[in-house]
Amino acid sequence: MVRRDKTNYIIQSVSHALDVIEQFKGEADELGVTELSKRLKLHKNNVFRLLATLEARGYIEQNKATENYRLGVRCLHLGQRFASQLGLLRQARPVLEELAAQCKETAFVTIRRGAGAVSLEAAESNLPVRLVANVGATLPLHCTAPGKAHLTSDSEDEIKAILPERLPARTPRTITDRAQFLEELRKTAERGYAVEIGEYEEHVNALAAPIRDYTNNIVAALAVAGPEYRVSEERIARELAPLIVKAGRDLSVRLGYNPPSRG
């Protein structure tokens, strides 16, 4: 099979929209339709339609006083998210390595993407039988420990908007009733960590803690997983839960989170 160059798949209108956004740099805080038309060598009508689309999505906004355009708040959100992820990976590495050494199990960090949790980085156990971290894989939210950790700050309405009433079963232990799952999330929020007991893969257990940044929002989840004969429910409650809660708190503080005082 002949691989085509990716440039063959470029959508011209999307490319032009990005060209518009990229004009707002240096001292060009605000630009008008005429100036953008000259810079991009596009007809004014085309530029206006691009601006209208970007404005509707929040990436461009118009200064009503001058009628010129400037970058919108959605661009700021994207930049903050990118910076947050770079900081997350840099700060997570030492925490992951220490956690994996303490637990003697595989530790990994995930970020939420839509209706899934994507594994970004991992530190594997050095034991012969271990969970192999699949960095880049997307995990479902409803039957994995990191997925549950990501959902702990969502409202019931938000969860109902993304999860159906009957949840797909991965194993016989998967919670498939949404009402029961919501109750599981309440318990998760109360204890400060999520548990997965053979719900995604049979004979594999896991636990995870939510990671917050300086905005107090959950930006990631820190998880530990391993075979059920080592990561038993008893060991989770007795030994592993305190370790992951502390590691999650430490990583959150590294990202600027200011935890409430315990007094």
Side-chain angles (χ1 to χ4, degrees):
M1 181 178 176
V2 178
R3 288 183 176 272
R4 291 188 180 182
D5 190 290
K6 286 187 178 180
T7 56
N8 293 328
Y9 298 98
I10 289 176
I11 299 173
Q12 203 65 35
S13 58
V14 176
S15 182
H16 286 325
L18 294 173
D19 287 339
V20 169
I21 291 174
E22 289 174 357
Q23 297 309 305
F24 295 89
K25 56 188 176 183
E27 297 182 1
D29 292 335
E30 293 188 4
L31 293 168
V33 174
T34 301
E35 178 62 23
L36 284 167
S37 176
K38 289 179 182 177
R39 291 188 180 200
L40 300 173
K41 296 181 174 57
L42 292 174
H43 194 278
K44 285 185 180 180
N45 285 344
N46 291 339
V47 172
F48 181 79
R49 291 173 68 184
L50 289 167
L51 287 167
T53 302
L54 291 167
E55 185 178 14
R57 298 296 298 271
Y59 291 97
I60 291 290
E61 61 185 30
Q62 188 178 37
N63 183 338
K64 301 303 180 185
T66 64
E67 296 188 348
N68 288 334
Y69 293 85
R70 60 196 176 201
L71 293 180
V73 71
R74 288 295 293 275
C75 289
L76 174 62
H77 292 166
L78 282 180
Q80 287 177 330
R81 179 67 63 185
F82 178 70
S84 172
Q85 288 180 17
L86 288 179
L88 171 64
L89 289 176
R90 186 171 60 251
Q91 299 296 343
R93 189 71 227 176
V95 175
L96 282 172
E97 290 175 350
E98 182 179 359
L99 185 61
Q102 290 175 328
C103 299
K104 296 182 174 57
E105 303 295 347
T106 296
F108 57 101
V109 66
T110 67
I111 58 169
R112 183 171 170 181
R113 280 292 176 269
V118 179
S119 178
L120 275 192
E121 183 67 290
E124 291 190 3
S125 165
N126 57 10
L127 296 176
V129 179
R130 64 183 183 275
L131 182 81
V132 177
N134 191 3
V135 173
T138 300
L139 303 171
L141 297 177
H142 73 285
C143 59
T144 63
K148 295 175 189 177
H150 282 291
L151 289 173
T152 51
S153 66
D154 281 24
S155 68
E156 188 169 312
D157 287 340
E158 287 172 328
I159 293 168
K160 286 180 177 178
I162 61 172
L163 296 180
E165 237 177 284
R166 296 299 300 174
L167 305 172
R170 285 278 311 194
T171 76
R173 302 199 67 169
T174 303
I175 298 173
T176 57
D177 179 72
R178 191 172 63 189
Q180 185 182 349
F181 180 72
L182 289 169
E183 179 60 30
E184 170 72 7
L185 285 184
R186 280 189 280 272
K187 294 177 183 176
T188 296
E190 286 174 6
R191 67 184 171 222
Y193 65 92
V195 176
E196 166 198 336
I197 306 296
E199 298 163 55
Y200 180 60
E201 291 184 19
E202 291 190 84
H203 311 302
V204 173
N205 294 347
L207 66 161
I211 305 302
R212 299 178 183 272
D213 67 1
Y214 63 95
T215 66
N216 197 31
N217 291 315
I218 295 176
V219 295
L222 185 63
V224 168
E228 66 177 353
Y229 71 89
R230 285 203 311 262
V231 185
S232 63
E233 292 185 69
E234 190 275 334
R235 186 185 176 212
I236 287 174
R238 171 179 49 83
E239 176 191 348
L240 300 180
L243 290 176
I244 202 156
V245 168
K246 181 182 182 302
R249 188 182 182 92
D250 290 347
L251 180 51
S252 295
V253 169
R254 282 171 173 259
L255 296 174
Y257 173 61
N258 185 22
S261 62
R262 298 180 181 179

